[in-house]
Structure formats: structure tokens, C-alpha cells
Amino acid sequence: MHDDLRPTDPTTGTDPTMSTDASKESEGAMTVHLAPPTRGARRRALRDRRGLRLWLVLVLAMASVSVLGATTPLSPHGSSAGAAAPGAADGNGGYLYTLPCPAGQTTDCPTIDVGPISHLNDGQYVYVTAKNFDPTGSIRVAFCAANTSPTDPSCLSGNWETQYLRPTTVPITNNPTTQNLTSLSYPVFSDPAGQGNNQIPAYDLVNNTGSVGGFNCDNGANPCELVVTDEPGQGPSAGNGPLITSDNSAVVPLDFAASSVGCPSSDPQVSVFSSFSLEHFIPAAVEATCAGHNGVVALNTADNDNSVVNDFASGGTTVAFVDNASDPNQVASLLGKSYAYIPVALSGTPESFLAGESNQGQNFPINSYNLTPNMVAGLVTSRYQQPAGSYTQPPKPTYTLSDNLSAALAAGSPAVTCADLPGCPTTKGKFKQFQFMQKYNAFDLLNPVPTGDFAPATFGSFNSNVSSGSSFQATSWLCSASNTPFTVAVDTVGQSAPLPVKVTDTNVATDTLTTAPAGSSIWPPYPNAPWVYPDCHGYSTFPALSATANNYGPAQSPGFQAKAMRNWCFGGSVLPQPQNPQDPCAAFGLMDTSESQFYGLSSASLENAAGNFVAPTTSSLQAAAASFTACPSGDLSCPAGTYRANYADTNPDAYPMANLTYAIVPTNQLSYSEGTAVKSLLTNLLSFSHGAAVPAGYAPLPDSIYNAALADVTNDISVAAAPPTTTTTTTTRAVASSPSDSSGSTIDTSTVDTSTVDSSPSGALPLTGTDAPATSSGRSAPAPVAVPPASIPTGFLLVGLSATTRFLLPAIVILAVGSLLGGL
């Protein structure tokens, strides 16, 4: 049902343009016949039509001005599935959907949380988290076209961008302590129509029809959505149903980042070079700020830190951004240069992972992992390639390649020995008890799986072999973190519930990092090879343990890291794919939080100095940054303008590896145009970084760091004086008779200066998307351009009139009045 917007006759309420033969109801055969109008009715109709003409002309005028001066933003598209469950913003860049509770239940209804859902990039992963679902069922996740069937849409199914992807069925994890929390990440794709792109291969969602026509995906006429549906059953029986209803589905509209940010063409452009930690930050910040009074477009290239610093040192770029400012190699590369550091963004270094568990051949993704500093050190060095490790035979049995907690439990509070544990051998020989205690290690005790499930039995490390702030910070943390006690839950004889035991690990991160592993499958690469971590300090580049080992994959970028992790543990898909169901795996890799979230990886919770296991979230990153201290002058290990992380921070909510990315700026004087643009760019980045709309993986800068950084922009960047402006004097020849002066002489007005036109950049109002008068820093507005820009800021109507078009609006008004009098 819809409203008919055609004009109606004021006397009859019907359409005067409709013929009697065509005036039929769509749902019946009744014909509507119109009576001839009276003379008074004709007069009223004429008067109303004249009024209508006026309004049409005025609307046309406003539309013309809009076309000349503005670009209208696209409005967010709605879901095609009107029957799907309604959602609400989750406060973290996503949407939370609540499905109806099962019969007889009024609380803890099933929920589906999906995010991020806006400003997405091609190939980015979106996280889906479900809670309170039936542990015998599944959720189906599909990437679909929004303008097809609302109950059975066309969805991606086939080879697309090097992956085979289709609607994915995820079994619900049976763990009441976490409300049966089940999570996965799914890639989404921007595939705009009209650009020569191949259409995304598709099937209808429940596969009733099979292969259907492919679809494009954009923010225009081809919207896309993520569809999450509750399904009964698990395993091969699930995956082809049911249809979408309000009782079983959440349909999430997706919004993609524009291929062009739509910045005014009058904005200055600055080419910058950044570490990977700002790869997704700078484009978002530019899009959010370029339409402002001092908009600047930053053309960024992301790479490893050594390349960034060397390029800046050689004069290849005016501004660079790095996330390992304290790296001695970086400091050495900048010797003799005039530069300063300015903090611009807060993120973190996570131990990213993809892991799974298995039960009766069914694979489940693991959503969380707890790791101590020592466990992270063992993953970096390949000491911990499996949780239980191995052991040596008598007469001196020892545990090797394992973070075994037998000794820590015996000295724990309360103390626990083998005799206290169910199943401990009662034989006189101690070796069988030694073998039994092999399973009591930090990995299994800190990350238990439900009874009957197989936990990850093989670990793989996938770290970058190029310089990065994540590598430097992780090794710095491992060498500074205290060996803080933590609590594990242990099943003991006679107890109905696991017993919490506080233990202090006998293995220490510093020793694990600086000691070569004995018996590792990839170390040594050749006999008597020197260990690659001889000293405990920050390493900007992880030295490769072996170039040929398949479970240590050095990569040149976070994208390659994530791909290697997904291929190794998930078979390139979105769910675990172990070769042996009884041997699930876990892939680990250190990278920036923004990169980890972009590629759909999970982030482990790391033990902080308070003994708590904390994941990198907005709040935990900000809590850690609150204890950062500004570095004093003269300390090469902590350059002036940067901040020192406090790895001993006992704030229980602080993530132990929060990190700042800094701008490196020259302190020698810049030209007026370049210096003004650089100052405006950094101010814009800081304003964006201090707000709440930062992309996933970042946290707003704390007030103290933000204010100090703004002062640094003013104090550290020297800008030459603005060039003098010029004026052009024109004369106007009089056309009337010449007046006389008081003496009776005639004045020659042909030589009198009657008008002065300022030709400086701020002296004209060009037809552009922004009016930019001089800034507080002295920057003049951009000069007029010959043609209108390709696009301008969106969200409001802007009208700019040049000298030749400033009479356009009055002319249109006169035209409207004329139309009222004489008709169109």
C-alpha cells in the first residue's frame, strides 16, 4: 500500500488528469466517472494551479541551486527484510539484535551483535557474536544482496577474491558460564556496479533455486547486508534453512566507505608515509575533517617502520608516522636531522589469534584466550608449539617445551599435588605421576574447554619479519613485565566445583625469550646456531627462526600475517579446519589492534601487572594510557615528545600493551603553503583522534596527551610568513556629463579611480564547496578555481556564487513572480 502523490481536484478530491476509462481501482473492476466541473470550480482550480506553478518554480529554483552548489549525501539504506528482528546501536560501532525468547522464558533472550557495520572497506571482516542460543543449534551467517527477496535473498556462494565463501553455519558453543557465547568473523565486499566489476556469485539463501544471478554491492542502487539466522541442529543437517522471519533472524544493512572521500577540490594535499598502525586511521580521519575550515587531504602509504623513517630522513616526505619511536635503530637513522615527535593516535599490540576446539568431529571457533607474558614469549620463540609440551625419560625426567605448572601448584595457595587430583596414579613409581602431571600446564588451565571437547593441540606463530611498533613493544613488554601470580581453576578430589589456586609460574618471560628452546621442531636451523635473542630488550624486527618452517611465517605486512594464520588454522575459511578433528590448532601473531580487527582476528587477554587478564578494548587502552609519562629531554631511549608506557601499572583494568603512533615533523622552517597545510593536517588528525568516532582498534587520545600534542603542533612546526597580497586597481569611465569643481573647471572623470577590486585569494567568492577565509594561523583562503570541484562536503546545503553568477538567485525569484502572473 502506498500514498498516491498525484495532484487532486480541490472540489472532488480526485485526479483531474485521470481519464474516465483509466480510473479503475487496482483491486476491483469499478470505473470512476467524473462530473463536469462548475464555473466556480474552474476558477478555484485555475487559482490553485497558478499557486502550484509558483511552488513548482521555487522548488525548481532551489533544486537548481542545489545542483550548482552541493552534492546530496546518500541516505543509509534500510534492510530489505522487513520481517527481521529490530536492532539498536550497541555503542561500539555495531548493532545489537534481540530475538524473541523461547516459550516460557522472559529473560536472557537470544542476542546477535554485529559490528562494525559502517565505513567498511572491501575485504574487511565483520564480527558476529551470539549469546543465549540453544547449545544444540547453530547460527547461519551470509553476505547477501539487500534488494532481493526479503525472506530468501541472493547470497554470496562461490569463489570470490581468492576464497570460496558461502553461507556459513556455526555451531553454538555449549558453555553456560559465557551464556553460550559463539563468535566468528565474516568478510564483506564492496563491489560497485558500473565499474567493470564481475558480479558476486550467488545462490538463494536456502538453496531452493540454486545458482541465481550474481549481484553487485555498493552504497547506491545495490545495497548489501549480513544475515544471521538461528538454525536448529548442528553438523551436516544444518545450513539450508530456514527462511528469514522476525523470530529467527537479524538482517544488518552494511555501509561501505566511499571510493572517494568527497573532499573539496580546494583542499591542499599532503603526501605522508606511515607505519601500518595508521593504515586505517588516516583515511577515516581525512574523510571526517576535510570538509572543515582547514581541510587537508593526506595521501598516505603504509609500510614498515624502517622504510618510513629512512624515507623521512632522506627528505622523501615532509611528515611521517611511526609507532616505535624509542627504537634505537630509528633514533640512529635520524641523527643530524631537525625533527620532533607529536603523538596522534592510540592503539595497542595484541597477540592476535585464530583457534578452534572440536567435539565429535564438529569444529567450534574459540572466542577468547588468556595468556601470561611467559606464554607469549614461548609463542614467539617456538618453545611452546603445543600446550602440554614433552618430557625427558628417567632418571632425571623434566618437562620441556611446556609452561608446566606442577611445581607452581605444589607451592600454590592452597597447595595442590598429584595426590589431590582425580585420576592421579597410585603406583609407587613417581614417573607415572610425572607423566600424569604433564597436562597441568598454563595453556590448558587458563583456557579450559567444555568436558568432552578437544582443545588446541598445536600452536603456530606468524609474526612479521619487518620492523614494526608491535614487535618492538611486545619484546619490550616481555623484558619488563613482572612475574605476577595468577589464579587457575583445578578439579580436586572431594570438591564439587573447581578449586581456585593462586600460583606463581616458575617459568619467566625474560628467560624464555633469551634461552634457545631445546627440542623445538624449527630450532636450531643448523647445528650450533647462535640464539637470535641474546639479550632482553625491545626488538623492532623479529629475527626469523627458520625460513623454511611452516609454522613460523614471517610476512611483510599484517595482511599477509592474517592470511597465513587463516590458511594454516582455518583452511582459508571462517571456521576451524583441522586436518585431524582430535588435533585442533591455534595460530598466533602480534600486530596492531587496528590491523587485527580489520582482518577479523581475535585478540587474547593478556595478564597485566595487577594479575588480571585484560583484552584490548577502548576502555582498557585508555586506562593504560592514563599512566603514560612524558619523556624528558636528553634520554635517547625515550625521545622528547614521546611517552613511556608503564608496564608495571597495577590498574586492574589496564591493557598491558597500549601504544602511541607519532608524527615525525621537521623543525626547520617550512614555506607558508606547506607549513600551513602540515599544521592543519595534524590539527585535524588530533581532533579526530580525540573524538569518539575513531575506527575499530583505536581509542580516543586522553585529554592530557591531546592538549600537549596541540601545543606541539604550534611550537614544533615553523612556518614562513604569508606572501604579500596584491590588489588590482581598475578605472570606470563616466558616461554622464562631467561635473565642475568649485572654480568652475570641468573634472575629467575618465581618470578618477571609482572602484578597487581586491584580487587576493580571499577577495573573491568562487563556486566551490567551502568558503575559507584566513585562518587563525594566518592561512589565506584557497584561490578561486576555474571549474567547480568534483564533490563537496555533504550533510548540508552549500551555495557559492562567483562574480558572474551572484545574480542567479534574484533572477530565479523574478522568474517565479513572472510565472505567477503569466504562467509557465
Side-chain angles (χ1 to χ4, degrees), residues 387-773:
S390 57
Y391 54 84
T392 61
Q393 298 289 332
K396 292 185 178 180
T398 57
Y399 299 107
T400 60
L401 302 176
S402 171
D403 191 5
N404 191 273
L405 295 180
S406 296
L409 288 170
S413 178
V416 175
T417 63
C418 184
D420 300 313
L421 303 172
C424 177
T426 57
T427 58
K428 295 182 179 179
K430 296 294 184 181
F431 183 64
K432 287 190 178 293
Q433 293 186 356
F434 186 88
Q435 287 179 302
F436 174 80
M437 294 295 294
Q438 183 184 4
K439 61 184 178 182
Y440 287 87
N441 59 80
F443 286 96
D444 286 328
L445 288 176
L446 284 173
N447 302 284
V449 296
T451 302
D453 283 13
F454 292 96
T458 306
F459 297 151
S461 292
F462 298 86
N463 295 312
S464 176
N465 68 342
V466 296
S467 61
S468 74
S470 299
S471 303
F472 186 81
Q473 186 177 43
T475 46
S476 298
W477 173 62
L478 295 177
C479 296
S480 304
S482 57
N483 190 30
T484 306
F486 54 92
T487 300
V488 294
V490 183
D491 290 322
T492 56
V493 176
Q495 298 289 333
S496 59
L499 179 69
V501 182
K502 190 174 184 179
V503 298
T504 301
D505 200 343
T506 56
N507 299 303
V508 181
T510 53
D511 294 340
T512 298
L513 185 67
T514 57
T515 305
S520 165
S521 66
I522 62 175
W523 185 266
Y526 57 87
N528 301 318
W531 180 232
V532 295
Y533 296 99
D535 303 307
C536 209
H537 60 78
Y539 289 80
S540 180
T541 303
F542 282 135
L545 303 181
S546 172
T548 59
N550 62 4
N551 64 343
Y552 188 87
Q556 301 295 314
S557 71
F560 285 129
Q561 281 182 264
K563 182 177 180 180
M565 293 168 64
R566 192 169 293 277
N567 286 340
W568 186 76
C569 195
F570 276 36
S573 182
V574 296
L575 290 178
Q577 300 291 330
Q579 294 182 354
N580 180 355
Q582 296 185 4
D583 186 20
C585 61
F588 295 92
L590 290 154
M591 64 184 71
D592 190 80
T593 47
S594 63
E595 297 285 358
S596 178
Q597 295 200 28
F598 184 90
Y599 292 108
L601 307 178
S602 299
S603 295
S605 297
L606 302 181
E607 185 190 18
N608 60 20
N612 287 0
F613 292 89
V614 180
T617 63
T618 298
S619 59
S620 67
L621 292 173
Q622 287 187 301
S627 68
F628 283 5
T629 55
C631 296
S633 300
D635 185 354
L636 293 181
S637 66
C638 189
T642 69
Y643 290 77
R644 191 188 300 276
N646 180 14
Y647 297 129
D649 184 8
T650 56
N651 182 342
D653 299 322
Y655 182 70
M657 285 199 288
N659 195 25
L660 288 169
T661 299
Y662 300 88
I664 312 178
V665 298
T667 53
N668 54 295
Q669 191 176 76
L670 301 176
S671 68
Y672 174 75
S673 59
E674 182 179 33
T676 302
V678 169
K679 274 194 168 183
S680 296
L681 172 63
L682 292 176
T683 301
N684 292 344
L685 295 182
L686 287 169
S687 297
F688 179 73
S689 187
H690 189 232
V694 291
Y698 300 96
L701 279 179
D703 293 345
S704 58
I705 297 178
Y706 166 72
N707 291 326
L710 285 178
D712 290 341
V713 171
T714 300
N715 299 329
D716 294 340
I717 303 175
S718 176
V719 182
T725 59
T726 59
T727 59
T728 301
T729 302
T730 61
T731 60
T732 302
R733 186 175 299 277
V735 295
S737 59
S738 300
S740 299
D741 63 11
S742 58
S743 62
S745 303
T746 300
I747 300 174
D748 183 4
T749 57
S750 65
T751 60
V752 176
D753 182 7
T754 59
S755 65
T756 300
V757 179
D758 184 1
S759 64
S760 64
S762 59
L765 186 60
L767 188 62
T768 65
T770 181
D771 296 335

Side-chain angles (χ1 to χ4, degrees), residues 28-61:
M30 183 177 65
T31 302
V32 179
H33 298 277
L34 301 181
T38 64
R39 178 180 298 179
R42 284 198 298 268
R43 288 177 178 174
R44 287 192 295 271
L46 177 62
R47 182 173 63 250
D48 289 331
R49 281 198 295 271
R50 285 180 175 175
L52 176 62
R53 288 171 182 166
L54 174 60
W55 283 110
L56 286 174
V57 171
L58 290 176
V59 170
L60 204 59

